[in-house]
Amino acid sequence: EVQLVESGGGVVQPGGSLRLSCADSGSTFDDYTMHWVRQAPGKGLEWVSLINWDGSTTYYADSVKGRFTISRDNSKKSLFLHMNSLRSEDTAFYYCAKSVRYGSGRGDWFDPWGQGTLVTVSS
Amino acid sequence: DIQMTQSPSSLSASVGDRVAINCRASQSISNYLNWYQHKPGKAPKLLIYAASSLQRGVPSRFSGSGSGTDFTLTISSLQPEDFATYYCQESFSTRMYSFGPGTKLEIK
């Protein structure tokens, strides 16, 4: 069954903003670290950002640092990605995914993933 | 930052073939290496975690090996549904993750 569903993608002009959402239909959303991963057209997977279970820890790829903000609402079992100052190189499918990160911060894996939402940055 | 490379970048094979996809890390990552399968328009799927552990529900024809810097994903007997792109991913870094560039497996 589909557990993670992304939404909010669309066409936006360079310099614009967009907010992506990821809804979790599973039962234990707040047990998990959540991630955003993207895939530009014809390219491979690129990790974008993570947020830990209670939102107290966030990390970002250098390519989006200072422009994107990850957040979550555990009461609504939802993950968000606020994207500002969008550039053409941000055009991609954006996927959300779950992982379980242990104390060391190492050794986790992403499962499951959503099917993605497409963001197109173009004038 | 850890750099991940994969070889080959593409591979043509037939149903029933045994294939191997290689992944190399720019520094030792112990066994903190995962493999994913991705088909167009679908969610990426976890196949192997911690270098050699098979994810629940994944067919046993998939296997992973390696540690340190060199890793291999092996498919023992290709099935029609296995034609896809495969990515390795390191989870050694604590503040980021790196994926390999992918290996596209096509039907010969």
Side-chain angles (χ1 to χ4, degrees), chain A residues 39 101 106-108 110-111 114, chain B residues 34 36 43 55 91-92 94 97:
Chain A
Q39 183 180 35
R101 273 170 66 96
R106 289 181 169 144
D108 58 337
F110 296 1
D111 182 67
Chain B
N34 308 313
Y36 301 89
Q55 171 67 350
S91 59
F92 181 86
T94 57
Y97 299 79

Side-chain angles (χ1 to χ4, degrees), chain B residues 6-13 20-21 84-86 101-106:
Chain B
Q6 287 183 233
S7 62
S9 58
S10 64
L11 177 59
S12 293
I21 298 170
T85 300
Y86 293 84
T103 295
K104 188 173 184 178
L105 180 53
E106 298 174 307

Side-chain angles (χ1 to χ4, degrees), chain A residues 83-111:
Chain A
M83 304 185 295
N84 296 322
S85 303
L86 282 162
R87 307 166 179 166
S88 58
E89 55 263 37
D90 296 318
T91 294
F93 276 97
Y94 285 74
Y95 301 94
C96 60
K98 285 181 165 180
S99 78
V100 177
R101 273 170 66 96
Y102 300 99
S104 69
R106 289 181 169 144
D108 58 337
W109 50 87
F110 296 1
D111 182 67

